[in-house]
Amino acid sequence: MKLLRFGEKGAERPGLLDEDGRVRDLSAHVPDIAGPALLPDTLARLARLVPGHLPLAPVDARIGPCVGSVGKFICIGLNYRDHAAETDSPIPEEPVIFNKWTSAIAGPYDDLCIPPGSTKTDWEVELGVVIGKGGRAIAEREARAHIAGYCVVNDLSEREWQLERGGTWDKGKGYDGFGPIGPWLVTTDDIEDPQTLPMWLEVDGHRYQNGNTRTMIFGVDTIVSYCSRFMSLQPGDIISTGTPPGVGLGQRPPVYLRPGQTVRLGIEGLGIQQQYVRGAA
């Protein structure tokens, strides 16, 4: 099942993608794709609906972030060995946790505005894990039962702010619009194995990233369990699980985004994002 949110920013409605690629309105069944709507019982109820009986959304409706009212936007750094190598970073012995602010969340096709003064805005295609059933101290063997589904994340990063300005990475990761999610939240029943998903990213048609979730250092179950040791996980929380090699920082010489470019990225079974890059606003 592919769940989504459609409509203008701040006024998105819950939706479902039918087998013909049309958006169906779920407003009569859940108030939003958020919080309680992501609990296992609610997802099971939505899965029993007949899509053809649901009203169609306007064909020109904007597709918004696939999850609303996100409480925590957790990220895992350096989770692919070859990405750690391209950034001259040591292989982590435990998952590296940092945060994106929830104000960074954007729709999958929204324009990307480079921050004022930025010269090193970079891209990162990542698998997002959306929590359904909350919990803490979750055992790895139980982790999958706590996941509502998966989505594409572009973990955009300002590398100067992240790496050259002191302190933690967070200041370079959380600028407004630096966390496009979606287009869909794909529930776990539609993804047989989250550790075998091809993923890619292109800028102006040039493919920079071409990876697969099978090369993660720490897999999805390990990450969910590990994060739950340090915080309670709640319905609608998002964990972005790291990026494969091919980021702009890792090019020789480095390559960063410029106004007028177009970024496209996708993960097999989870859809494709596209962002047009604009100058500082």
Side-chain angles (χ1 to χ4, degrees), residues 78-125:
L78 303 173
N79 197 29
Y80 290 72
R81 290 181 183 274
D82 32 14
H83 171 57
E86 74 173 346
T87 59
D88 297 320
S89 302
I91 303 300
E93 296 182 4
E94 296 189 29
V96 175
I97 297 177
F98 63 93
N99 297 293
K100 293 179 90 74
W101 320 126
T102 55
S103 53
I105 292 173
Y109 312 120
D110 292 346
D111 289 349
L112 164 63
C113 290
I114 292 178
S118 169
T119 59
K120 297 182 179 180
T121 296
D122 203 349
W123 57 81
E124 296 187 13
V125 60

Side-chain angles (χ1 to χ4, degrees), residues 120-170:
K120 297 182 179 180
T121 296
D122 203 349
W123 57 81
E124 296 187 13
V125 60
E126 304 200 3
L127 172 68
V129 174
V130 180
I131 299 299
K133 177 183 174 184
R136 59 183 176 182
I138 299 167
E140 281 195 36
R141 66 181 180 277
E142 302 294 337
R144 206 65 61 91
H146 290 261
I147 298 172
Y150 308 97
C151 65
V152 180
V153 176
N154 191 353
D155 175 20
L156 291 152
S157 311
E158 211 301 333
R159 299 301 189 187
E160 179 189 353
W161 300 358
Q162 176 192 359
L163 302 171
E164 302 172 31
R165 300 286 290 273
T168 65
W169 290 358
D170 301 338

Side-chain angles (χ1 to χ4, degrees), residues 169-188:
W169 290 358
D170 301 338
K171 71 179 73 169
K173 293 286 190 171
Y175 192 75
D176 293 358
F178 268 28
I181 60 172
W184 339 118
L185 163 63
V186 182
T187 52
T188 55

